[in-house]
Amino acid sequence: MIIAIDGTSASGKGTLARRLAAHFDYAYLETGMLYRAIAFLMLEETEGEMDLSVALELAKTFAPEDLKVLEHNKLRLPRVSTAASEISTSPEIREYLKKFQQKFATRPPEKKAGAILDGRDIGTVICPNAPFKFFLIADLDVRAQRRTQELEEMGDLVKYGDVHDRLKSRDQLDSSRTESPLLKAEGAIEIDTTHLTADQVFEKALQHIEKK
Ligand code: DC
């Protein structure tokens, strides 16, 4: 069983994915973390410069187990988010990460009975045959508020305006790139989370799954 969840940054896809994974006891993969991990390692190696060739070499040798040793808080830093979005435009890097994601979906770790993946191209490219696909959206202002709060809770001093502008440009880049852009997959259920609580989003998704 595979559940694919796509959507814009801070639309609530991670929260929904985690809730569904706990409910069904499925494995969960936050695919954005793969791009973030490579972006983070690239920035360390280049001392802050964007260099796609370095990122590509890292993608080739990156073992997804490496994710466990990286500090997740650092992967969420704004400069890592921006670099992740930029490196994700590379078809070669996407191809290297695709295989791992598909394997995770079809053979989930710990022999779990299902897998939930969230990202930008799960329902369109990684798992186009997933029986359940969700597409989450929310107004930019609400997403910027959520992300500002999240970063503040991690101890990061951020300004709402900066977070808002960065999300806007990342949306633009993620949706307009030629390679696997953010798109609503055929058959995906769209949920607008702007005015919904995490509980309400979860209930809505669960209803769709149980109805099928
Ligand atoms: O979901 P996120 O914000 O952590 O993702 C970080 C970046 O990684 C995002 O801006 C675009 C890229 N990404 C992608 O291209 N495809 C995915 N399946 C997941 C993330």
Side-chain angles (χ1 to χ4, degrees):
M1 163 62 111
I2 299 172
I3 301 177
I5 305 177
D6 290 303
T8 47
S9 310
S11 58
K13 54 189 191 316
T15 305
L16 173 62
R18 267 185 288 274
R19 295 283 295 268
L20 289 173
H23 181 82
F24 291 112
D25 192 27
Y26 286 174
Y28 166 46
L29 180 64
E30 184 181 357
T31 66
M33 279 299 179
L34 303 173
Y35 294 92
R36 286 174 182 273
I38 290 171
F40 174 78
L41 295 170
M42 174 198 75
L43 292 172
E44 290 233 300
E45 203 170 311
T46 61
E47 295 181 357
E49 296 300 315
M50 261 311 295
D51 189 332
L52 275 183
S53 63
V54 172
L56 179 59
E57 284 313 306
L58 287 163
K60 280 182 194 169
T61 52
F62 183 75
E65 296 78 51
D66 295 351
L67 264 183
K68 294 188 191 125
V69 297
L70 293 169
E71 264 182 67
H72 277 215
N73 274 2
K74 284 195 178 158
L75 301 186
R76 296 216 181 271
L77 291 172
R79 63 173 186 280
V80 178
S81 307
T82 305
S85 190
E86 288 184 21
I87 66 157
S88 72
T89 58
S90 155
E92 290 93 349
I93 292 176
R94 301 199 73 85
E95 198 53 38
Y96 279 105
L97 297 180
K98 185 175 172 181
K99 291 185 192 87
F100 168 73
Q101 296 174 68
Q102 290 180 331
K103 191 170 152 214
F104 185 100
T106 50
R107 268 179 286 150
E110 297 172 40
K111 298 208 166 99
K112 299 267 183 189
I116 303 185
L117 285 81
D118 78 24
R120 304 291 187 292
D121 61 343
I122 309 302
T124 50
V125 176
I126 306 294
C127 305
N129 299 322
F132 297 105
K133 296 181 189 178
F134 294 97
F135 190 74
L136 266 56
I137 55 164
D139 287 354
L140 177 62
D141 290 346
V142 169
R143 290 189 288 122
Q145 276 161 20
R146 289 176 188 161
R147 188 46 55 88
T148 306
Q149 193 182 340
E150 212 176 276
L151 290 165
E152 279 172 356
E153 281 166 8
M154 282 173 8
D156 221 14
L157 284 177
V158 284
K159 287 202 193 95
Y160 167 83
D162 293 344
V163 175
H164 177 282
D165 294 351
R166 277 197 301 263
L167 275 182
K168 195 172 169 188
S169 57
R170 204 142 67 85
D171 279 357
Q172 168 74 14
L173 192 58
D174 294 345
S175 308
S176 64
R177 66 179 182 224
T178 15
E179 198 63 31
S180 310
L182 171 65
L183 277 177
K184 181 177 167 186
E186 213 184 304
I189 308 285
E190 182 169 302
I191 304 178
D192 184 341
T193 71
T194 308
H195 303 293
L196 300 179
T197 63
D199 281 348
Q200 289 169 324
V201 177
F202 172 68
E203 287 303 328
K204 255 181 190 280
L206 199 58
Q207 273 170 17
H208 280 292
I209 294 171
E210 286 173 346
K211 207 163 63 190
K212 249 193 173 178

